[in-house]
Amino acid sequence: MFDPYADNEASPYVDSKRTVAFRSIQEQVPWSNSSVPDQRSVPNSPMPAPGRIPSPPPTSPVPSRRRSGGLRTGAIIALTLVLLIVFGVGLFAGWQFGRSGSTLNSNVGQLQPGSGGVAIVPPLTGKNQDTVREAVIAKVRPAAVEVNVTLGNGAGIGSGVIIDRRGYIVTSNHVVNGAQSINVVLFDGTKLTAQLVGTDPADDLAIVKINTSKNLAVATLADSSKLQVGQEVLAIGNPLGITQTVTNGIVSALGRTVSEGQGGATIPDAIQTDAPINPGNSGGALVDLQGNLVGIPTLTAIDPEFNTPASGVGFAIPSNRVNFIVPQIIANGSVTHTGRAELGVQITDVGPTLAAQDNLSVDHGALIVSVVSGSAASSAGLQAGDVIVQIGNTAVNDVSSLSDALATKNPGETVAVHIYRGSQQLTINVKLGELQAGG
């Protein structure tokens, strides 16, 4: 049976049907004090749990490479790329906005743009790329901030983006998780105390707020559904604690589903980019050449053979998801509508061994182990022992492909679920539910 709480095994293959280890972008760097354990370290584990970049001593240079002796205490646990992570009983999460833009509940306020001085980005003509990049950087960097946290066992550095003129800043949840205090450094060097407004661990998002009379620069959110593979993007943040750093690359792929592993966030529709994303970029800005925010960097891949960051394989939470979640947190202090479609079953991969053991009619698909009472699956008549082999026109060969088929579905949408029940082949229409916040 698929155990949602089991450690994910890293695979040496970066393949949508295989697993590859991931780590949160924040981790300790060589100047850190390895005698101070991270609050989320896993005892007796060869790979400690996700940590943060510890604040560097003022006079210490920033090393350009990692220590060759492996990961140290407080570094990041290997995280796993999967097409689905089962969170208890509410599974198979698709985004409400899908690929067509965000949809906010009518009682949730909109983000308020800033009125501070904003650089004008000229149209890209093919001959003025340098000028355009410089204008984009001038426009966005004033909205990018450094996020400093104090923990029970030390301190850490991350990134954030001013998202609302009232002083609301979006960052990654793992940047502020467990923080005893939070301070923000603005582009001009101003240091301000920040208050945690709310978090969304399932999406690895958090909102903090600063109070200032300054006319704040505010990032403008793009429609991430309009991104194209090959489009140039810039990443702005504080990699390795080097503040206000800009890197560039392209959109390498769209619609990825990445997971932070056991107990962590699962991010469908993630943006993959080869723009260098390093420890400390978490919570920062991924922007297009119009100077608009298209994503929040949050993960980078790990080469499973050498257990080191894979070059040019980073991931960001799409701006449409940010635009869906952040106003809810600002209005309510928490997420009230997840926008994730829920099937409501627990499943496991079907292979030749399980098929022979359970006398199944097929040797592929996703076996329903249990059905949640009152769930969409229960209402439609799906049963434990059913093997899902197709969703709509998409074949289901395992848990990952089932997730792939459902990741873009919306709550309330009806999908045709093709199953084997014993030797019978059935098609059951399921009206998908919405995953409850915290589910």
Side-chain angles (χ1 to χ4, degrees):
M1 173 178 172
F2 181 77
D3 183 355
Y5 302 104
D7 290 335
N8 293 307
E9 180 181 358
S11 164
Y13 305 101
V14 182
D15 185 288
S16 63
K17 303 305 180 186
R18 301 293 297 278
T19 57
V20 60
F22 278 79
R23 66 176 54 162
S24 295
I25 288 170
Q26 289 197 318
E27 65 177 4
Q28 288 192 327
V29 290
W31 63 59
S32 64
N33 182 353
S34 60
S35 65
V36 180
D38 183 88
Q39 83 277 13
R40 290 187 286 171
S41 295
V42 179
N44 303 319
S45 170
M47 296 189 117
R52 302 169 175 80
I53 293 182
S55 302
T59 58
S60 297
V62 179
S64 61
R65 61 181 177 86
R66 303 177 191 279
R67 192 169 63 189
S68 61
L71 299 179
R72 62 193 64 81
T73 304
I76 302 302
I77 193 170
L79 302 172
T80 304
L81 172 62
V82 290
L83 293 181
L84 178 69
I85 284 294
V86 182
F87 289 111
V89 294
L91 12 147
F92 304 125
W95 296 130
Q96 180 173 351
F97 59 77
R99 303 299 303 278
S100 59
S102 60
T103 303
L104 290 173
N105 188 283
S106 59
N107 64 359
V108 177
Q110 300 295 314
L111 296 174
Q112 297 186 13
S115 56
V118 176
I120 302 300
V121 180
L124 183 65
T125 64
K127 297 181 179 180
N128 64 343
Q129 286 187 335
D130 289 344
T131 300
V132 169
R133 289 192 196 99
E134 291 165 6
V136 168
I137 293 166
K139 176 183 178 181
V140 180
R141 277 211 301 182
V145 303
E146 175 185 325
V147 179
N148 295 291
V149 299
T150 57
L151 309 167
N153 57 356
I157 301 173
S159 301
V161 185
I162 301 172
I163 207 78
D164 186 290
R165 68 184 181 189
R166 293 167 292 181
Y168 292 103
I169 296 168
V170 63
T171 185
S172 293
N173 178 61
H174 72 260
V175 169
V176 297
N177 186 35
Q180 296 180 349
S181 65
I182 305 170
N183 291 281
V184 166
V185 182
L186 302 182
F187 176 70
D188 63 3
T190 302
K191 298 180 180 179
L192 298 168
T193 298
Q195 301 296 322
L196 183 63
V197 177
T199 64
D200 177 20
D203 294 296
D204 198 15
L205 290 172
I207 295 295
V208 300
K209 188 178 187 300
I210 54 174
N211 293 312
T212 177
S213 59
K214 288 180 175 291
N215 195 8
L216 296 172
V218 176
T220 302
L221 270 69
D223 181 353
S224 55
S225 72
K226 295 181 179 179
L227 282 173
Q228 298 292 324
V229 174
Q231 181 177 337
E232 185 171 351
V233 288
L234 305 177
I236 303 175
N238 305 294
L240 304 175
I242 311 172
T243 60
Q244 292 292 330
T245 295
V246 182
T247 59
N248 79 304
I250 63 170
V251 174
S252 304
L254 295 166
R256 297 299 198 197
T257 301
V258 293
S259 171
E260 295 181 359
Q262 180 182 359
T266 295
I267 306 167
D269 210 30
I271 302 163
Q272 181 180 337
T273 180
D274 69 345
I277 293 175
N278 291 286
N281 274 117
S282 276
L286 188 72
V287 299
D288 60 22
L289 289 192
Q290 287 74 51
N292 297 322
L293 188 72
V294 298
I296 303 295
T298 189
L299 294 175
T300 188
I302 293 299
D303 184 334
E305 182 177 356
F306 302 104
N307 198 31
T308 57
S311 177
V313 188
F315 296 88
I317 302 162
S319 56
N320 282 1
R321 186 61 180 174
V322 176
N323 199 29
F324 179 76
I325 291 296
V326 167
Q328 296 184 55
I329 295 177
I330 291 175
N332 306 299
S334 61
V335 176
T336 54
H337 296 281
T338 66
R340 298 192 184 210
E342 180 185 55
L343 186 56
V345 293
Q346 286 185 313
I347 42 74
T348 188
D349 286 336
V350 173
T353 301
L354 182 63
Q357 175 183 312
D358 287 10
N359 195 29
L360 302 176
S361 298
V362 288
D363 62 0
H364 64 278
L367 173 67
I368 298 177
V369 176
S370 63
V371 177
V372 180
S373 177
S375 68
S378 175
S379 298
L382 289 173
Q383 301 175 8
D386 291 345
V387 179
I388 301 173
V389 294
Q390 188 173 322
I391 297 290
N393 296 321
T394 304
V396 172
N397 296 312
D398 50 25
V399 170
S400 294
S401 58
L402 176 57
S403 173
D404 195 26
L406 290 174
T408 59
K409 303 301 182 183
N410 300 329
E413 184 175 348
T414 298
V415 296
V417 180
H418 303 268
I419 65 168
Y420 274 85
R421 180 172 293 167
S423 60
Q424 274 187 301
Q425 297 184 48
L426 303 173
T427 299
I428 297 178
N429 292 323
V430 181
K431 184 178 181 180
L432 300 170
E434 181 179 19
L435 182 68
Q436 297 300 305

